[in-house]
Amino acid sequence: GGDGGAFSSPGDGGLVAGESGAFDAVQSAPTGHHRIRPIKSKYQKVREIDLNAEDEKNRCTALHLACEKGFTDLALGLVLRASDVNPLNKIFSTPLHIAINSDNEDTAHDLLINTKFSNDVTLMDAQGNSVLHCACARGHMSIISTLIDVFGDRVDINGLNRKGRTPLLVAIENGQSEAAELLLNTVGDASLIN
């Protein structure tokens, strides 16, 4: 509707309206990608932006790049406009992997909280690292806490990467003792963590 530029949820069509014109999210049949399409007025041409377009070299989407640069508002805006939250780039990293590995903890945290129902935190990158492995390697305490508190059983605290290391071992290997202690204190029973 015409609420002065506010976004509605992606589930109701992702409509956006404002003084400059109205927009709606549409899904293209062959690719399943969502596009933003301005509702045509007699003064403007209809144009579409493929929110999930990938660059040819690295298969990164706009969401990958926004997360890499720490552009939190842009990343959330893309998600609100029906951008895929779990695309995999050339090295099988999701935008969340990228935000964490680029030390954009605020962007990663906001993305986690705002996409908790659609974000697949079980996806692994080319090295077999889940987002929990990455957060433990970088010492991102708020991400570790959010993953365990909000996502619970969807996070494999004992998941092994390609080197055979759990998130606890990755934290210790990377000198992140606070992250290792947080993992131990969060689960309560240290015998459950390998």
Side-chain angles (χ1 to χ4, degrees):
D3 54 0
F7 299 106
S8 62
S9 69
D12 66 303
L15 297 178
V16 181
E19 303 242 344
S20 61
F23 300 83
D24 66 351
V26 295
Q27 186 171 2
S28 65
T31 64
H33 289 183
H34 288 81
R35 299 173 183 270
I36 298 298
R37 180 185 71 197
I39 297 173
K40 190 174 181 180
S41 78
K42 63 182 180 178
Y43 302 108
Q44 65 188 150
K45 295 180 180 178
V46 173
R47 294 185 182 162
E48 293 182 355
I49 299 173
D50 183 352
L51 299 179
N52 296 305
E54 300 173 345
D55 71 36
E56 291 181 19
K57 181 178 179 185
N58 296 312
R59 293 186 39 218
C60 287
T61 64
L63 187 55
H64 281 105
L65 298 176
C67 288
E68 178 184 26
K69 299 296 182 186
F71 297 155
T72 304
D73 291 340
L74 178 58
L76 294 177
L78 288 164
V79 169
L80 283 173
R81 289 176 176 89
S83 178
D84 181 5
V85 278
N86 297 305
L88 301 176
N89 68 6
K90 182 178 166 183
I91 58 170
F92 301 100
S93 293
T94 65
L96 190 54
H97 281 100
I98 299 290
I100 294 168
N101 290 332
S102 299
D103 290 324
N104 293 317
E105 190 170 359
D106 291 340
T107 302
H109 185 265
D110 287 357
L111 190 61
L112 268 176
I113 295 300
N114 286 286
T115 62
K116 63 184 171 189
F117 299 112
S118 57
N119 211 317
D120 186 349
V121 295
T122 65
L123 293 173
M124 296 185 185
D125 65 15
Q127 287 79 40
N129 291 314
S130 67
V131 291
L132 182 59
H133 282 96
C134 296
C136 288
R138 308 299 272 194
H140 292 315
M141 306 298 279
S142 70
I143 303 301
I144 297 166
S145 294
T146 300
L147 285 166
I148 293 169
D149 295 343
V150 175
F151 292 87
D153 292 340
R154 289 172 44 195
V155 176
D156 186 358
I157 201 149
N158 290 310
L160 299 176
N161 64 15
R162 292 194 188 263
K163 291 183 177 179
R165 292 187 173 84
T166 64
L168 176 64
L169 294 175
V170 168
I172 295 168
E173 178 181 50
N174 286 279
Q176 303 294 345
S177 61
E178 288 182 37
E181 289 175 24
L182 178 61
L183 283 175
L184 291 174
N185 293 332
T186 302
V187 285
D189 185 356
S191 67
L192 295 176
I193 303 179
N194 295 325

